[in-house]
Amino acid sequence: MRAWGGVGLALLWLGLVGAGCDRGAIAETPVALAEATAVEAPPRDHAAESQKLLEEPDREGLLIGEFRLAEDPIVDGDTIRVEGVEGSIRLLSIDTEEKLRGKANRAAAERDFAAYLEKKRGNAIRPQKAETPMGDQATTFAESFFEGVDVVRLERDDPKEMRGQYGRLLAYVFAEKNGRWTSYNVECVRAGMSPYFTKYGYSRRFHNHLTHAEAEAREAQRGIWSPDAKGYSDYDERKAWWEARAQFIRAFEHEANRRDDYVQLSHWDAEARLEERLGQEVTVLGTIGQIKTFKGLVRVSLNGARGTRFPIIFRDRALFRESGMARHAGEPVTVRGFVERYEKKDYRTLQIEVTQPGQAAFPALPWPNEETESKPDR
């Protein structure tokens, strides 16, 4: 049993509990702690040690632990802070609107909200994020939900997915309400503060809960689903986009469950698995990030765990143009190919080279032939 810096609680880390559940399976309650004993909080300068322990791969599991909320815990409707964890925590399966921060945006939104949203969208093919009054409401909802709460429980959706593209911890958060642990993520959707957010895949553990919560909120016209809401007006379009991505990711994960040559780059062990398969053929799943053109080649970087990038190499520029990579910037992609090592001076990496059409596959997006660019939310 270890004491966590700034937490004041002893944490028991569990192994791979429930990892074999089907996508639609419901986890009725959070992962149970076998034991939770109050201990004296160590000095705050032990926070770095706590952070290091959070990152240890052998501590993978659905349970992250129980933590005290930070002094100012609410960043916005889908992001919180707790003691003992460096940085903020991006809450899974929800995506609340951005709260109004600047005077100019607030004034423009109050003056003509429809025109404000239209300007924010501009000529973009995809729906865009914007600061809205609904973002303020979502933040207020979070503040109300956690009012009087001292300790929260954090859990993962997948034991191998720990942090998002921006390095933030990804989690479901539970607060004790009326003697039972209650999921903020689900209640946020039920209150109409967020849709069920499937852009990065369906929830493995709470898919049914979240689906039913959204249906309930829509039926009752709560929050973002109210015809009078000062929020995004394009949720049907957003949901169609997210659904296409989620189905694509689910199809890959279905294959990955029965094949060891499928590697999801967002998993913490992706690099080690690719090293083990050096010289062998694999299929990787990642999000298209930076695309750079060099003399004689194009390098497409797929975003992976903790800000890592996995290179996909095109030596034929015509093949790159035909591949669809540029049209799907920011979207998930699968690439089939042989893992090879590239070394030049101090630069050393694993990579896959694309030599023929059909090695890359993409989700069936609502905008199949448009040049698009999507930025990560987490």
Side-chain angles (χ1 to χ4, degrees):
M1 189 78 70
R2 292 178 184 266
W4 288 82
V7 179
L9 294 174
L11 302 180
L12 178 65
W13 288 83
L14 303 184
L16 190 59
V17 179
C21 295
D22 292 337
R23 269 298 201 182
I26 300 177
E28 294 293 344
T29 59
V31 178
L33 276 175
E35 181 182 1
T37 306
V39 296
E40 183 179 354
R44 284 187 176 274
D45 59 5
H46 288 187
E49 181 181 352
S50 298
Q51 181 65 23
K52 182 179 179 181
L53 288 170
L54 276 173
E55 302 293 346
E56 289 183 6
D58 62 352
R59 293 189 179 274
E60 69 169 274
L62 293 179
L63 176 66
I64 300 173
E66 293 185 9
F67 298 82
R68 295 193 187 282
L69 287 172
E71 185 175 347
D72 185 16
I74 308 304
V75 178
D76 54 32
D78 57 31
T79 311
I80 66 169
R81 296 188 184 95
V82 300
E83 294 183 358
V85 175
E86 182 181 328
S88 59
I89 298 164
R90 181 60 166 88
L91 303 180
L92 291 163
S93 298
I94 59 175
D95 188 41
T96 61
E97 299 182 21
E98 303 300 304
K99 63 183 181 182
L100 287 161
R101 291 181 171 86
K103 292 182 179 179
N105 280 341
R106 187 175 296 277
E110 291 175 353
R111 184 168 54 250
D112 187 335
F113 188 65
Y116 167 77
L117 285 183
E118 184 177 357
K119 183 177 180 180
K120 289 296 182 182
R121 174 82 180 244
N123 296 322
I125 299 300
R126 290 177 177 84
Q128 300 294 299
K129 284 184 168 292
E131 298 173 13
T132 69
M134 273 308 309
D136 288 349
Q137 287 188 41
T139 302
T140 300
F141 173 80
E143 291 169 345
S144 176
F145 183 91
F146 291 106
E147 185 176 2
V149 173
D150 182 33
V151 174
V152 295
R153 183 195 299 263
L154 301 180
E155 297 185 14
R156 295 189 177 95
D157 191 50
D158 185 322
K160 292 189 176 183
E161 289 196 347
M162 299 181 178
R163 292 185 178 269
Q165 179 60 28
Y166 294 128
R168 294 183 294 182
L169 199 67
L170 305 175
Y172 298 111
V173 59
F174 299 84
E176 194 168 2
K177 301 274 186 176
N178 300 318
R180 61 188 295 268
W181 289 104
T182 301
S183 167
Y184 169 78
N185 308 58
V186 172
E187 295 310 312
C188 183
V189 173
R190 194 189 314 279
M193 296 297 109
S194 170
Y196 172 22
F197 185 52
T198 60
K199 184 178 178 182
Y200 296 97
Y202 298 116
S203 170
R204 297 165 181 83
R205 300 178 56 205
F206 303 107
H207 175 72
N208 288 351
H209 275 128
L210 291 158
T211 299
H212 295 156
E214 183 182 292
E216 180 183 323
R218 278 179 177 261
E219 177 68 22
Q221 296 188 333
R222 297 177 190 143
I224 59 175
W225 309 115
S226 168
D228 300 322
K230 290 292 185 70
Y232 302 155
S233 59
D234 54 8
Y235 273 113
D236 287 342
E237 186 180 5
R238 290 173 191 264
K239 293 286 289 184
W241 172 28
W242 301 343
E243 183 73 10
R245 290 174 55 120
Q247 290 184 5
F248 181 77
I249 294 168
R250 180 169 62 182
F252 176 89
E253 291 177 340
H254 176 75
E255 289 297 309
N257 284 337
R258 63 188 187 89
R259 299 177 58 164
D260 62 4
D261 60 340
Y262 272 53
V263 180
Q264 194 158 340
L265 297 177
S266 61
H267 288 180
W268 66 263
D269 63 346
E271 184 176 359
R273 292 188 61 205
L274 289 169
E275 282 280 2
E276 291 173 356
R277 301 192 71 85
L278 184 63
Q280 301 177 43
E281 194 172 22
V282 301
T283 298
V284 297
L285 169 67
T287 302
I288 300 173
Q290 187 181 64
I291 299 176
K292 294 194 69 173
T293 301
F294 299 89
K295 184 178 180 179
L297 64 84
V298 178
R299 184 180 69 198
V300 178
S301 296
L302 302 189
N303 296 330
R306 306 182 189 185
T308 58
R309 295 176 177 177
F310 182 74
I312 305 298
I313 304 300
F314 292 82
R315 300 191 186 278
D316 184 334
R317 295 193 184 188
L319 179 59
F320 166 74
R321 289 191 293 270
E322 294 170 8
S323 72
M325 286 284 187
R327 293 197 305 274
H328 292 84
E331 299 294 350
V333 60
T334 60
V335 180
R336 184 75 179 173
F338 289 89
V339 181
E340 59 185 34
R341 191 186 309 281
Y342 175 79
E343 297 184 47
K344 185 176 182 180
K345 296 182 179 179
D346 294 333
Y347 181 72
R348 187 170 183 265
T349 186
L350 298 176
Q351 63 185 30
I352 288 176
E353 182 175 343
V354 174
T355 58
Q356 55 188 338
Q359 283 183 244
F362 310 93
L365 299 177
W367 324 279
N369 298 313
E370 300 289 346
E371 290 282 344
T372 61
E373 182 177 359
S374 176
K375 296 181 180 179
D377 312 89
R378 60 185 203 181

